[in-house]
Amino acid sequence: MDLSVVILNYNVRYFLELCLHSVKAATASIDAEIIVVDNNSADDSCNMVKQLFPEVILIENKENLGFSKGNNQGVAIAKGDYVCILNPDTVVSEDVFFKLLEFSKTKENLGIVGCKLIDGSGMFLPESKRNIPVVKVALQKIRGNSANYYANHVQENEVAKVEILVGAFMFMKRTVYNQLKGFDEDYFMYGEDIDLSYKAIKAGFNNYYVGTTAMIHYKGESTLKDTNYAKRFYGAMQIFYKKHFKSNIVFDVFVWLGINLAYLFRKNPNKVKKVSKNMYAFSNMKAQFLSEKLNKKVLVINSISDINDQSTVVFDPSSMRYKEIVSNMIYLSKKKDISFRILMNNSNFIIGSDSSNNRGEVITF
């Protein structure tokens, strides 16, 4: 078997459904398996997987084991030569796995491979490629200065070696994952991807960013929404420095003080509120369906060139490939106040997000 896709899920039933549809399309011509590890979701996630995706291997945990342990569970039963760690709030292009499999076969000492991520508004997510967050760089980042945190020397459509990749999408040989002992389970949530990327570099592997294929990550880079999140995030950073950069007591005090001060003086991100005057769909049937369900006029268009500013565009994967949806989102993101939603065929919901600062949104009918 060529590939095992491992998806860790927790209470994002609708995003998981969309994600699984896109992964099925992307693995249609590949000898692959899909493994969903559910961390005791309270929603209908597990029933949905059993009913709509009976071929998916489902692990149902009785408690929330966290990101590291949950993903390690999935990889432990994987059979693929390669594994892909994938977030459930993502939509992958049909060519992403094929391209990365072909790319990986050409590289020696291959570590972890990532791809281009965009948020729900079509904007590039800079956390797709990052530098090692040495103390100075990390403290700059958590004070709001990201210039040295992201790998800005690599262009977003480029293919190049990078140091740190994002946990929403991490592709690698299963033997490499096991050699690195997977995600460090001292981390419950956040920081695990930095740790695994850094362990790969220390072990002599080369990590790569492949910007020639793209996918959607609705949540984008996690934001400081509440006290519990902030404590976990900065706690994860303290674990990382203790494991990899600890030198002496003065150094430890400096790191502890800097991280805790950054937590106290953190800034909450502004939520994006876009003005939408029109809603567009690409078929009469979808436009009529949405008009009835949303109680608003939905216009039919044949070309993205017909779309104006301050509009919501509803994509339909049954009539447009995921790769084309991603490309259209990137192209249209240059317009003012453009929002995107995806409506699955025979579904009772639409999904979208207006920025990486906002959690993805679901409207059910």
Side-chain angles (χ1 to χ4, degrees), residues 305-357:
S305 60
D306 298 332
I307 296 171
N308 299 316
D309 293 344
Q310 297 183 323
S311 298
T312 298
V313 183
V314 181
F315 294 111
D316 172 17
S318 67
S319 60
M320 183 180 294
R321 300 177 74 229
Y322 291 103
K323 181 178 180 180
E324 189 177 356
I325 291 173
V326 173
S327 297
N328 286 336
M329 288 175 62
I330 294 172
Y331 174 78
L332 290 169
S333 66
K334 302 174 181 63
K335 290 183 175 288
K336 180 182 178 182
D337 280 357
I338 289 287
S339 298
F340 305 108
R341 301 293 183 263
I342 294 180
L343 170 65
M344 295 299 306
N345 201 29
N346 299 320
S347 68
N348 64 340
F349 64 94
I350 57 175
I351 278 180
S353 176
D354 291 337
S355 86
S356 60
N357 287 339

Side-chain angles (χ1 to χ4, degrees), residues 36 71 113 129 165 171 214-215 274 285 351:
V36 170
N71 278 299
V113 184
K129 48 183 178 61
L165 295 158
F171 183 97
M215 56 176 275
K274 292 187 176 181
M285 185 180 297
I351 278 180

Side-chain angles (χ1 to χ4, degrees), residues 19 24 90 103 118 139 189 225 242 261 270 299 340:
C19 176
K24 278 189 65 176
T90 58
F103 172 82
I118 64 169
L139 293 179
M189 187 180 296
K225 299 176 293 299
K242 183 177 180 180
L261 285 175
N270 295 322
L299 305 174
F340 305 108

Side-chain angles (χ1 to χ4, degrees), residues 129-134 137 147-153 163-164:
K129 48 183 178 61
R130 291 173 285 176
N131 298 316
I132 297 171
V134 295
V137 170
N148 297 314
Y149 183 77
Y150 301 119
N152 294 321
H153 61 286
E163 294 170 331
I164 307 297

